[in-house]
Amino acid sequence: MNSLSQKKPAILGGTACFPQGPPEWPFPDKAVNQVLEEAQQSGIWGKYHGPYLEQLQQELATLHQREQVILCSSGTVAVELALRGLGIGKGDEVILAAYDFEGNFKNILAVGATPMLIDVDSRNCNLDLNLLEQAITKSTKCILVSHLHGGMVPMQALENFSTKTGIPIIEDACQVPGINIEGRTAGSWGQIGILSFGGSKLLTAGRGGALMTSSPQIAQRVKLYSYRGNEAYPLTELQAGLLIPQLQTLQQHHQKRQTNVEHLLQQLGENSGLTSLTNTDYTHDTSSYPGYYKLGFKYNADHFAGLSRERFCDSMQAEGIALFPGFRALHMIHSNKRFKQVNQLPVATLCDQNLVVLHHPILLTDEKNMKTIAQAISHIHDQAAQITHMYTHNPLNLRHKKSNDYPME
Ligand SMILES: *Cc1c(COP(=O)(O)O)cnc(C)c1O
């Protein structure tokens, strides 16, 4: 063994692989600074409306082939507005994957409707199309679908299903702005597409969101609902300005992340104890390429001598790597009075317990960092039993600072 492979994990007192911690997001960007400067000089930062909002709207409309783009204060609000735009309310049901962003579940409740939870595909932990048929009742009004953790839902098949049944789709592209799914930009499928510009997201203005549709009726309903003599959920002119240069570098950044993901998976190899959610091509379409807001893996505790997923994540964070447990599955954290479900949701239950996600900023850095991440995993693997032992005997020593800019996205 060389000295590298004997490195003591940071959680056991060794030196962290990334002593500075994970890279801060967003990265410094000259073009963004320029917008800030210009906005300051022109005084546009203090206006309700200006050229930036209009330009952003137009660029998003073109990118998504949607006539109507409604900018708003968050992705969460955009999803709520989408449900309202479809006229969904009390007594209605909305089909949603049982493993998804919690805000989507809450939004369905917020409009008075009931989530109908269905299980996810075991390969990528995204909505399983095969279960849709069983989820339909006479109250079904919509399918709300997101692309998560480097996975993609095969949207052509979903859209075919939607056309056949007349059930509209809301496509939540908050984690994957600008990616390509079977020849179309994510967020351009179905009746409504949703984006988030939250502080941790790939396109960020700190806060913000967008709803995109080609239906004038839906857009009209949304505008009527959110206009109260003034906009109730606005995106600001300054936020719009900050997003415009990011749209220009988005594709280049997607490519860089993709290259780094490939390096990382190669470094990890077949037997790392982590199985990527992204390496299955289930869309059968070479024009698709995924996005990585969080890179998801199934964690196999047995491979790590029984080290729990939570302790594995703590150990990685101690190395300065932003790896976290995935979402809680929605049926595990809400009273079953609040939702309906198709079956026992076995795959989503496993996802709740086994997924880990790597936060994206490191994927825009140097290739050598991918090797360092793989090495960190292998060191933790080699000393997993000691880590478990230490947790059992000295749990209070192991608290360490975590970055607080990861809301429950
Ligand atoms: C972040 C996120 C949202 C909500 O976006 P916010 O702007 O943070 O409110 C919705 N859906 C998914 C899948 C997300 O990741």
Side-chain angles (χ1 to χ4, degrees):
M1 272 208 279
N2 61 32
S3 62
L4 245 185
S5 62
Q6 290 172 331
K7 178 196 169 292
K8 198 192 234 186
I11 196 92
L12 295 176
T15 315
C17 288
F18 298 94
Q20 322 286 336
E24 288 288 335
W25 186 254
F27 289 176
D29 183 333
K30 282 204 186 90
V32 166
N33 286 347
Q34 201 180 330
V35 169
L36 283 169
E37 224 167 274
E38 282 170 15
Q40 196 260 327
Q41 275 164 18
S42 66
I44 235 165
W45 59 271
K47 308 280 186 251
Y48 286 111
H49 294 286
Y52 291 139
L53 283 162
E54 206 155 299
Q55 187 183 343
L56 180 64
Q57 249 169 345
Q58 269 167 20
E59 291 193 14
L60 292 177
T62 307
L63 178 63
H64 298 89
Q65 311 269 297
R66 302 273 204 193
E67 284 83 53
Q68 311 276 341
V69 174
I70 296 172
L71 300 171
C72 61
S73 52
S74 73
T76 302
V77 154
V79 170
E80 181 189 334
L81 294 176
L83 294 164
R84 297 195 185 278
L86 289 170
I88 292 168
K90 207 163 164 40
D92 296 336
E93 289 173 10
V94 176
I95 298 174
L96 180 72
Y99 181 87
D100 201 344
F101 178 65
E102 192 188 2
N104 289 355
F105 181 93
K106 292 263 176 77
N107 273 324
I108 297 168
L109 298 180
V111 302
T114 304
M116 169 64 90
L117 299 182
I118 70 172
D119 213 355
V120 290
D121 187 319
S122 62
R123 293 166 301 175
N124 65 9
C125 302
N126 283 224
L127 184 115
D128 185 348
L129 264 56
N130 295 316
L131 299 167
L132 281 173
E133 202 91 50
Q134 303 166 52
I136 294 181
T137 72
K138 59 182 187 320
S139 305
T140 307
K141 288 287 150 50
C142 168
I143 301 163
L144 173 50
V145 59
S146 19
H147 311 284
L148 300 177
H149 303 348
M152 282 185 272
V153 174
M155 290 307 290
Q156 185 62 62
L158 185 58
E159 191 152 286
N160 295 347
F161 181 84
S162 164
T163 310
K164 190 182 79 184
T165 55
I167 301 170
I169 299 167
I170 299 172
E171 187 190 13
D172 174 347
C174 289
Q175 301 210 350
V176 290
I179 73 158
N180 193 298
I181 301 178
E182 298 168 291
R184 278 163 63 179
T185 306
S188 67
W189 296 89
Q191 277 59 32
I192 304 178
I194 302 294
L195 298 175
S196 163
F197 310 127
S200 61
K201 295 283 155 77
L202 300 181
L203 289 175
T204 177
R207 299 279 177 179
L211 178 159
M212 305 173 294
T213 181
S214 295
S215 157
Q217 293 91 330
I218 291 173
Q220 183 63 9
R221 268 210 206 101
V222 170
K223 285 179 191 161
L224 275 175
Y225 178 79
S226 46
Y227 194 79
R228 322 257 166 96
N230 199 348
E231 284 171 45
Y233 313 104
L235 189 81
T236 68
E237 178 66 9
L238 186 53
Q239 287 172 308
L242 302 177
L243 289 161
I244 290 165
Q246 296 177 60
L247 277 178
Q248 300 214 318
T249 49
L250 183 61
Q251 296 309 329
Q252 188 194 322
H253 286 179
H254 278 319
Q255 271 165 27
K256 172 103 185 175
R257 283 186 284 262
Q258 175 68 40
T259 308
N260 270 329
V261 167
E262 282 162 19
H263 286 309
L264 178 58
L265 297 184
Q266 199 184 357
Q267 290 289 335
L268 288 175
E270 294 294 305
N271 194 27
S272 67
L274 298 182
T275 312
S276 163
L277 303 184
T278 192
N279 55 8
T280 329
D281 181 18
Y282 40 86
T283 62
H284 309 293
D285 186 309
T286 49
S287 71
S288 301
Y289 62 86
Y292 303 103
Y293 166 63
K294 308 274 182 190
L295 176 62
F297 297 91
K298 291 177 203 169
Y299 173 73
N300 177 3
D302 290 342
H303 183 86
F304 292 86
L307 180 69
S308 76
R309 173 185 65 163
E310 282 63 28
R311 286 161 188 183
F312 176 71
C313 288
D314 285 347
S315 305
M316 289 290 279
Q317 288 163 30
E319 301 293 346
I321 298 167
L323 188 89
F324 298 88
F327 292 141
R328 296 303 316 274
L330 298 167
H331 64 294
M332 308 287 287
I333 52 171
H334 295 98
S335 156
N336 61 12
K337 293 192 192 85
R338 300 218 169 245
F339 60 87
K340 295 187 176 179
Q341 65 193 77
V342 163
N343 58 19
Q344 290 307 303
L345 308 169
V347 185
T349 305
L350 282 175
C351 292
D352 177 86
Q353 291 155 16
N354 295 337
L355 292 196
V356 296
V357 294
L358 177 67
H359 193 42
H360 65 87
I362 191 81
L363 299 174
L364 273 189
T365 68
D366 222 305
E367 178 189 330
K368 73 174 189 323
N369 289 337
M370 302 306 111
K371 192 168 181 185
T372 308
I373 293 174
Q375 283 169 343
I377 291 169
S378 127
H379 298 144
I380 291 168
H381 166 264
D382 293 348
Q383 303 195 43
Q386 289 93 312
I387 296 172
T388 301
H389 179 85
M390 187 189 51
Y391 266 99
T392 319
H393 290 88
N394 207 358
L396 291 179
N397 281 348
L398 292 159
R399 302 265 154 80
H400 56 268
K401 192 179 163 294
K402 287 183 193 169
S403 169
N404 63 4
D405 206 23
Y406 304 100
M408 298 304 291
E409 348 83 317

